[in-house]
Every structure is written in C-alpha cells, then in structure tokens.
Amino acid sequence: MTETPLGPDEIDDLARRARDGDRDALEDLLAAVRPRALNVCRGVLPYTPDAEDACQEAMINVATKIGGWNGQGRFTTWMHVVAVNSARSTYRRMKNQAVATDPHDHGPLERPDPRTTSVIAGTRLDLLEAMETIERDHPQFVEPLLLRDVYGLPYDEIARLVGAPLGTVKAQIHHGRKLARPLLRGQE
C-alpha cells in the first residue's frame, strides 16, 4: 500500500513544526520532500549516484538550516533552492576532485551522452560550466537565472526567495541570460 503524498499545506505545517523543534515532524518532513529534492538534483546531475549524493547533502542542509525558512513562501520552494545549491556544490566538489586526481589531462573529455542533453544548453554539464563562469564575476545572476530558466519558478517567488525586488530579479535574469548565451554556444 502506498501513502498519499502530502499536499503543500500539510508540508508547510510539518515544516513549521520542525522549525519550532518538533523532531518527529522533521523526520516526517524529510521523508515527504526527499523525492522532490532528488528530482531537483537529477535535473542538475545526470548520473543518478551523483544526484543521490547531492540529495543527501540537501536533506542534511534542510534538517540543519530549517530555521532559515521564514514561512513567507511555500516550504517546497525554499527546499528547491537548497536542493539546487546542494547539486551545484556536489558538482563543484566532483569537478575539483577530478582535476586533483588527474593533473596530467590526456586531451579533451568526451562529450556527455546525448540522453542527458538539456533543453537550454548543449548538455547539463555545459550549463553548469556556464553558471560557474558567470558566478566568478557576477554571482548575483546565477541563482535567479537557474530558478527561472531551469526550474521554471515564477518571478515573484524568486524575488521572495532571494530577498530582492521583483524588478531587480527580472533584470538579473535578463542580464544573466545575456552572459550565458555566448558561453552555451562555446564562444567565450
């Protein structure tokens, strides 16, 4: 017998109770949102074990940083950002480990499997590389751009999440897109 997934109001209620120190509510909350967090991580990391590692990191971050959710928007939206950031952090860590273990690169890496191709970029890895490049000089554009163009969140929800006025968020996304286009075409 399968359990009926919790609705948004039920998840928000669990999150409020967990934020206020109810350990049982926290356990129930983590179980309820883990599948959604895993899907978010899979959207960034095409290899399932990597996505599962990122999801585990996201669940730890949710558990330890639940006090950062202010209850203004849906808990699942806040958790979505935590999961995206965990996936990006996992990607960075893996990238750094790969460089550290093979300092004598033997030529260019093969292109990723076309089945992992992103709609926005040539591959998800191209998109992550573009976001890494943009983040070095313009970190304020990366999160709003990912939340809008990869995860499809509405502008007003993104504004609430990043704590910026709606017009600022729209401008950041527009400018982020302008910076990303040449990177995704392979023209730096």
PDB file of all heavy atoms in Angstrom, residues 78-91:
ATOM      1  N   TRP A  78      11.471  26.879  -0.909  1.00  0.00           N
ATOM      2  CA  TRP A  78      12.724  27.071  -0.162  1.00  0.00           C
ATOM      3  C   TRP A  78      13.593  25.825  -0.293  1.00  0.00           C
ATOM      4  O   TRP A  78      14.799  25.905  -0.558  1.00  0.00           O
ATOM      5  CB  TRP A  78      12.402  27.383   1.302  1.00  0.00           C
ATOM      6  CG  TRP A  78      13.617  27.559   2.161  1.00  0.00           C
ATOM      7  CD1 TRP A  78      14.365  28.692   2.317  1.00  0.00           C
ATOM      8  CD2 TRP A  78      14.227  26.558   2.994  1.00  0.00           C
ATOM      9  NE1 TRP A  78      15.395  28.459   3.190  1.00  0.00           N
ATOM     10  CE2 TRP A  78      15.327  27.151   3.621  1.00  0.00           C
ATOM     11  CE3 TRP A  78      13.945  25.222   3.256  1.00  0.00           C
ATOM     12  CZ2 TRP A  78      16.156  26.465   4.509  1.00  0.00           C
ATOM     13  CZ3 TRP A  78      14.758  24.537   4.139  1.00  0.00           C
ATOM     14  CH2 TRP A  78      15.849  25.143   4.761  1.00  0.00           C
ATOM     15  N   MET A  79      12.993  24.659  -0.127  1.00  0.00           N
ATOM     16  CA  MET A  79      13.721  23.401  -0.216  1.00  0.00           C
ATOM     17  C   MET A  79      14.296  23.216  -1.619  1.00  0.00           C
ATOM     18  O   MET A  79      15.383  22.689  -1.789  1.00  0.00           O
ATOM     19  CB  MET A  79      12.777  22.239   0.132  1.00  0.00           C
ATOM     20  CG  MET A  79      13.411  20.862   0.170  1.00  0.00           C
ATOM     21  SD  MET A  79      13.542  19.972  -1.400  1.00  0.00           S
ATOM     22  CE  MET A  79      11.965  20.201  -2.152  1.00  0.00           C
ATOM     23  N   HIS A  80      13.582  23.680  -2.630  1.00  0.00           N
ATOM     24  CA  HIS A  80      14.024  23.603  -4.018  1.00  0.00           C
ATOM     25  C   HIS A  80      15.366  24.328  -4.182  1.00  0.00           C
ATOM     26  O   HIS A  80      16.295  23.809  -4.801  1.00  0.00           O
ATOM     27  CB  HIS A  80      12.948  24.248  -4.889  1.00  0.00           C
ATOM     28  CG  HIS A  80      13.012  23.910  -6.319  1.00  0.00           C
ATOM     29  ND1 HIS A  80      12.109  23.097  -6.938  1.00  0.00           N
ATOM     30  CD2 HIS A  80      13.881  24.282  -7.280  1.00  0.00           C
ATOM     31  CE1 HIS A  80      12.404  22.986  -8.208  1.00  0.00           C
ATOM     32  NE2 HIS A  80      13.473  23.702  -8.438  1.00  0.00           N
ATOM     33  N   VAL A  81      15.466  25.511  -3.602  1.00  0.00           N
ATOM     34  CA  VAL A  81      16.705  26.287  -3.680  1.00  0.00           C
ATOM     35  C   VAL A  81      17.826  25.551  -2.947  1.00  0.00           C
ATOM     36  O   VAL A  81      18.959  25.475  -3.439  1.00  0.00           O
ATOM     37  CB  VAL A  81      16.502  27.706  -3.099  1.00  0.00           C
ATOM     38  CG1 VAL A  81      17.818  28.451  -3.008  1.00  0.00           C
ATOM     39  CG2 VAL A  81      15.509  28.479  -3.948  1.00  0.00           C
ATOM     40  N   VAL A  82      17.518  24.988  -1.790  1.00  0.00           N
ATOM     41  CA  VAL A  82      18.512  24.220  -1.036  1.00  0.00           C
ATOM     42  C   VAL A  82      19.013  23.047  -1.888  1.00  0.00           C
ATOM     43  O   VAL A  82      20.217  22.785  -1.966  1.00  0.00           O
ATOM     44  CB  VAL A  82      17.933  23.717   0.308  1.00  0.00           C
ATOM     45  CG1 VAL A  82      18.884  22.757   0.999  1.00  0.00           C
ATOM     46  CG2 VAL A  82      17.616  24.900   1.228  1.00  0.00           C
ATOM     47  N   ALA A  83      18.107  22.354  -2.562  1.00  0.00           N
ATOM     48  CA  ALA A  83      18.485  21.211  -3.387  1.00  0.00           C
ATOM     49  C   ALA A  83      19.325  21.641  -4.596  1.00  0.00           C
ATOM     50  O   ALA A  83      20.312  20.981  -4.933  1.00  0.00           O
ATOM     51  CB  ALA A  83      17.244  20.438  -3.834  1.00  0.00           C
ATOM     52  N   VAL A  84      18.946  22.732  -5.243  1.00  0.00           N
ATOM     53  CA  VAL A  84      19.731  23.244  -6.378  1.00  0.00           C
ATOM     54  C   VAL A  84      21.144  23.578  -5.913  1.00  0.00           C
ATOM     55  O   VAL A  84      22.133  23.203  -6.555  1.00  0.00           O
ATOM     56  CB  VAL A  84      19.069  24.491  -7.007  1.00  0.00           C
ATOM     57  CG1 VAL A  84      20.035  25.204  -7.956  1.00  0.00           C
ATOM     58  CG2 VAL A  84      17.805  24.126  -7.740  1.00  0.00           C
ATOM     59  N   ASN A  85      21.247  24.268  -4.798  1.00  0.00           N
ATOM     60  CA  ASN A  85      22.563  24.643  -4.286  1.00  0.00           C
ATOM     61  C   ASN A  85      23.377  23.416  -3.886  1.00  0.00           C
ATOM     62  O   ASN A  85      24.593  23.378  -4.093  1.00  0.00           O
ATOM     63  CB  ASN A  85      22.427  25.618  -3.120  1.00  0.00           C
ATOM     64  CG  ASN A  85      21.965  26.984  -3.582  1.00  0.00           C
ATOM     65  OD1 ASN A  85      22.139  27.360  -4.731  1.00  0.00           O
ATOM     66  ND2 ASN A  85      21.346  27.726  -2.689  1.00  0.00           N
ATOM     67  N   SER A  86      22.739  22.403  -3.337  1.00  0.00           N
ATOM     68  CA  SER A  86      23.439  21.170  -2.985  1.00  0.00           C
ATOM     69  C   SER A  86      23.942  20.461  -4.236  1.00  0.00           C
ATOM     70  O   SER A  86      25.059  19.938  -4.259  1.00  0.00           O
ATOM     71  CB  SER A  86      22.521  20.245  -2.184  1.00  0.00           C
ATOM     72  OG  SER A  86      22.201  20.823  -0.943  1.00  0.00           O
ATOM     73  N   ALA A  87      23.129  20.434  -5.277  1.00  0.00           N
ATOM     74  CA  ALA A  87      23.545  19.799  -6.531  1.00  0.00           C
ATOM     75  C   ALA A  87      24.729  20.548  -7.141  1.00  0.00           C
ATOM     76  O   ALA A  87      25.690  19.930  -7.617  1.00  0.00           O
ATOM     77  CB  ALA A  87      22.375  19.733  -7.516  1.00  0.00           C
ATOM     78  N   ARG A  88      24.669  21.849  -7.117  1.00  0.00           N
ATOM     79  CA  ARG A  88      25.789  22.643  -7.654  1.00  0.00           C
ATOM     80  C   ARG A  88      27.041  22.458  -6.821  1.00  0.00           C
ATOM     81  O   ARG A  88      28.149  22.348  -7.345  1.00  0.00           O
ATOM     82  CB  ARG A  88      25.402  24.118  -7.732  1.00  0.00           C
ATOM     83  CG  ARG A  88      24.333  24.373  -8.787  1.00  0.00           C
ATOM     84  CD  ARG A  88      23.939  25.833  -8.909  1.00  0.00           C
ATOM     85  NE  ARG A  88      25.070  26.609  -9.376  1.00  0.00           N
ATOM     86  CZ  ARG A  88      25.444  27.767  -8.845  1.00  0.00           C
ATOM     87  NH1 ARG A  88      24.786  28.296  -7.849  1.00  0.00           N
ATOM     88  NH2 ARG A  88      26.478  28.410  -9.323  1.00  0.00           N
ATOM     89  N   SER A  89      26.885  22.373  -5.509  1.00  0.00           N
ATOM     90  CA  SER A  89      28.018  22.135  -4.620  1.00  0.00           C
ATOM     91  C   SER A  89      28.634  20.757  -4.877  1.00  0.00           C
ATOM     92  O   SER A  89      29.857  20.604  -4.911  1.00  0.00           O
ATOM     93  CB  SER A  89      27.538  22.245  -3.168  1.00  0.00           C
ATOM     94  OG  SER A  89      28.543  21.866  -2.273  1.00  0.00           O
ATOM     95  N   THR A  90      27.786  19.756  -5.077  1.00  0.00           N
ATOM     96  CA  THR A  90      28.269  18.408  -5.388  1.00  0.00           C
ATOM     97  C   THR A  90      29.023  18.416  -6.711  1.00  0.00           C
ATOM     98  O   THR A  90      30.099  17.815  -6.839  1.00  0.00           O
ATOM     99  CB  THR A  90      27.087  17.417  -5.441  1.00  0.00           C
ATOM    100  OG1 THR A  90      26.485  17.363  -4.147  1.00  0.00           O
ATOM    101  CG2 THR A  90      27.532  16.026  -5.855  1.00  0.00           C
ATOM    102  N   TYR A  91      28.489  19.117  -7.702  1.00  0.00           N
ATOM    103  CA  TYR A  91      29.160  19.218  -8.993  1.00  0.00           C
ATOM    104  C   TYR A  91      30.548  19.855  -8.837  1.00  0.00           C
ATOM    105  O   TYR A  91      31.536  19.355  -9.361  1.00  0.00           O
ATOM    106  CB  TYR A  91      28.311  20.035  -9.971  1.00  0.00           C
ATOM    107  CG  TYR A  91      29.053  20.381 -11.232  1.00  0.00           C
ATOM    108  CD1 TYR A  91      29.246  19.421 -12.221  1.00  0.00           C
ATOM    109  CD2 TYR A  91      29.575  21.649 -11.431  1.00  0.00           C
ATOM    110  CE1 TYR A  91      29.950  19.729 -13.373  1.00  0.00           C
ATOM    111  CE2 TYR A  91      30.278  21.963 -12.580  1.00  0.00           C
ATOM    112  CZ  TYR A  91      30.462  21.008 -13.548  1.00  0.00           C
ATOM    113  OH  TYR A  91      31.157  21.314 -14.672  1.00  0.00           O
TER     114      TYR A  91
END
